[in-house]
Amino acid sequence: MPHHATLQQAGYVLLRQAVPRGWLEELRHVFEAGVKPARQWPVPRASDWRHSQLDCAKRVQAVCRLPRLLAAVGALIGERFFLYQVEGRAPVAGGGHQALHRDLSMQRPGDLVGVMVYLDDYGPHNGATRIVPGSHRPEPGETPFDYSDESRSLHLSGRAGDALVFDVDLVHAASLNASGAPRRALLIGYAAEPLQVALQQTEYLRNVHMNTQECFEPSDYVFTAP
């Protein structure tokens, strides 16, 4: 499966126009309706971001189950997996900058995958994601990654409806929203089935309200080049 090999080597794929354009206005409305101040979350959130509680919204759940998206997630995880979290995030004007980092797998490389679904057009001006392709699987003996070195980072840009699917060990970061233009996104988390019990035990800390019992089989979805 050459497409699988390319995806696993890069550690990410940017799915252009993964979300039907007719869904975007509703998703933006759901995002705005669910915004809660940082202090109202079980674990306080960063003040330079807007955070939205929206995991039970039907349209959001439909996005999390788009076959094209699940195909890419399944190709990265490589085994039965489940949806464990989805929330909304948007950097405020003059905020949102992150240092390059990894979110880190839990039990084995590749057992967690993140997805950013962009609800607005995005680019370097409004806090779009930076990634370092291929950085999720360091070679044995390779010098540890220098997170202060931006020379290999790629600044993404695109249109509302795009979805970035990435291995959580991929070096990545959000950027400064210098223009103040909206850059709302759904941040979705998927995990290999063996992690289900452990992640369900921490749902209250992440303010997860949705049902996280459903599992997906990678073989049910065909990943093709974007």
Side-chain angles (χ1 to χ4, degrees):
M1 297 183 179
H3 298 320
H4 282 68
T6 300
L7 171 59
Q8 290 163 359
Q9 183 178 20
Y12 80 98
V13 63
L14 185 57
L15 302 176
R16 300 290 187 182
Q17 299 302 280
V19 178
R21 294 204 66 80
W23 293 12
L24 291 172
E25 194 56 41
E26 179 183 352
L27 289 167
R28 293 180 190 122
H29 176 78
V30 168
F31 183 105
E32 295 300 332
V35 171
K36 298 167 61 175
R39 65 183 181 277
Q40 291 185 10
W41 294 80
V43 176
R45 305 300 181 89
S47 60
D48 59 340
W49 289 80
R50 300 170 69 225
H51 298 271
S52 178
Q53 173 76 52
L54 43 62
D55 59 342
C56 291
K58 289 183 179 179
R59 188 65 79 186
V60 171
Q61 288 292 316
V63 170
C64 295
R65 289 166 173 77
L66 286 168
R68 189 178 173 203
L69 191 154
L70 291 176
V73 173
L76 280 172
I77 292 180
E79 63 180 280
R80 188 173 165 88
F81 64 95
F82 71 104
L83 166 68
Y84 73 87
Q85 180 174 328
V86 55
E87 63 179 53
R89 293 187 187 178
V92 304
H97 176 79
Q98 296 175 333
L100 291 172
H101 64 278
R102 294 184 170 100
D103 292 338
L104 301 179
S105 52
M106 289 179 65
Q107 293 183 357
R108 66 153 180 84
D111 61 11
L112 291 174
V113 165
V115 177
M116 292 282 295
V117 176
Y118 297 97
L119 305 184
D120 300 292
D121 295 350
Y122 59 97
H125 67 288
N126 67 344
T129 313
R130 313 188 310 280
I131 61 171
V132 180
S135 58
H136 59 309
R137 298 289 180 270
E139 295 291 335
E142 183 178 327
T143 302
F145 191 89
D146 179 1
Y147 294 109
S148 66
D149 181 5
E150 294 274 355
S151 63
R152 294 169 52 197
S153 65
L154 171 67
H155 217 145
L156 301 180
S157 62
R159 303 292 302 277
D162 291 353
L164 170 67
V165 183
F166 63 99
D167 184 307
V168 300
D169 290 325
L170 188 78
V171 174
H172 66 281
S175 298
L176 182 74
N177 185 355
S179 72
R183 201 233 70 184
R184 291 162 290 192
L186 306 180
L187 179 59
I188 312 173
Y190 299 87
E193 186 180 27
L195 300 178
Q196 197 163 29
V197 172
L199 285 169
Q200 287 172 345
Q201 289 174 345
T202 62
E203 287 181 347
Y204 71 98
L205 292 173
R206 292 176 280 111
N207 215 27
V208 174
H209 294 174
M210 67 181 184
N211 188 306
T212 58
Q213 296 293 327
E214 183 181 7
C215 288
F216 307 95
E217 293 284 355
S219 58
D220 290 343
Y221 306 93
V222 178
F223 174 72
T224 58

